[in-house]
Amino acid sequence: VVDTSRSMAAAAGHDAPSRVARAKRSALRIRRELAGVPSGIASLTDRALPHLFPTVEPGPFRVTLERSLGVERPPPGRAQIGRITDLGALAAVAEQDFFSERATKRLLVVLTDGETRPVTSRLASALARADIRTLFVHTWRPNEGIYATSEREPEYRADPSSAGDLRATAAAVGGLVVDEEDLGGAVRQARAVLGSGPVERQRRRDLLALMPYLTFAAAVPFG
């Protein structure tokens, strides 16, 4: 799950990589290190939306990550004042069956700056009922700003309390937090949760991209 709220546009400078760009790179590396484990993609603002359901195929994961996710792409579900990110919205991952019913182990890796609205007990209850373990990757650095132009936006300030808030959320759901600089640690924690098991070889098959055809079909009535 990649946080795509506006604060994820923050960077050390106008030409420096943004938080969301770093989060996407981190997600891709974690996915490579967990090759063979079905992995999917979702975005998070004030809602959690699935973009790719778990698959062992690395190609769709990479393409979806590169082309579908960006700051406020997709946008929040509603206009709000102040913080948009709501980690409590991750409850939808459990309540709306983002995971297959056949999955015996479920791990949620959330890449976020931790600048979130207060989280209620609903999140912990939903994740526990679905037996979902959670690993947060804190994607945040001090003194970062948002640069829509070459000038830094004065309205935004990086919140140094985000690390503590994220640890509190992780503790509430029985999860863990690692820093974005410790992706090796994130992979080790993920492997510890997922464990090991038998591997079944399967013939690789080409995947058909349906979106171009669906777009064409939708345009036909307008034509």
Side-chain angles (χ1 to χ4, degrees):
V1 180
V2 178
D3 184 349
T4 58
S5 60
R6 181 157 173 75
S7 64
M8 291 293 285
H14 180 255
D15 296 324
S18 65
R19 292 172 183 170
V20 75
R22 303 196 310 267
K24 290 164 68 173
R25 285 204 303 263
S26 298
L28 195 58
R29 177 182 165 184
I30 293 171
R31 170 66 181 81
R32 283 198 301 263
E33 295 287 343
L34 299 177
V37 177
S39 302
I41 297 174
S43 62
L44 175 71
T45 50
D46 60 348
R47 55 182 177 165
L49 297 176
H51 295 264
L52 177 72
F53 289 107
T55 174
V56 295
E57 297 285 354
F61 188 95
R62 176 180 53 79
V63 171
T64 301
L65 197 65
E66 291 175 353
R67 298 183 181 180
S68 298
L69 298 187
V71 173
E72 294 193 334
R73 196 176 82 235
R78 56 190 182 276
Q80 298 184 26
I81 298 175
R83 291 185 175 180
I84 296 297
T85 304
D86 183 3
L87 291 175
L90 292 171
V93 175
E95 296 168 347
Q96 299 178 16
D97 299 324
F98 282 37
F99 286 90
S100 167
E101 293 182 356
R102 295 175 295 174
T104 57
K105 294 186 178 181
R106 300 176 174 91
L107 173 63
L108 195 61
V109 180
V110 185
L111 300 107
T112 176
D113 57 17
E115 297 182 357
T116 177
R117 290 171 174 263
V119 176
T120 67
S121 60
R122 173 193 166 206
L123 176 61
S125 299
L127 295 178
R129 284 195 303 269
D131 195 20
I132 297 174
R133 300 288 297 279
T134 309
L135 174 63
F136 295 95
V137 180
H138 190 212
T139 308
W140 183 96
R141 292 172 183 166
N143 302 318
E144 289 184 311
I146 294 178
Y147 297 83
T149 65
S150 59
E151 298 296 324
R152 180 170 178 155
E153 292 185 2
E155 294 84 4
Y156 173 78
R157 291 289 184 274
D159 183 3
S161 66
S162 63
D165 292 342
L166 199 55
R167 285 194 297 269
T169 300
V173 302
L176 296 168
V177 179
V178 298
D179 188 79
E180 63 175 316
E181 303 297 337
D182 185 23
L183 290 184
V187 171
R188 287 192 297 273
Q189 295 291 350
R191 286 176 174 162
V193 171
L194 296 171
S196 60
V199 177
E200 178 181 344
R201 295 185 63 85
Q202 296 181 345
R203 176 186 296 180
R204 182 185 178 91
R205 60 184 177 83
D206 292 334
L207 296 178
L208 177 64
L210 298 178
M211 187 54 70
Y213 300 96
L214 293 175
T215 303
F216 175 76
V220 167
F222 291 101

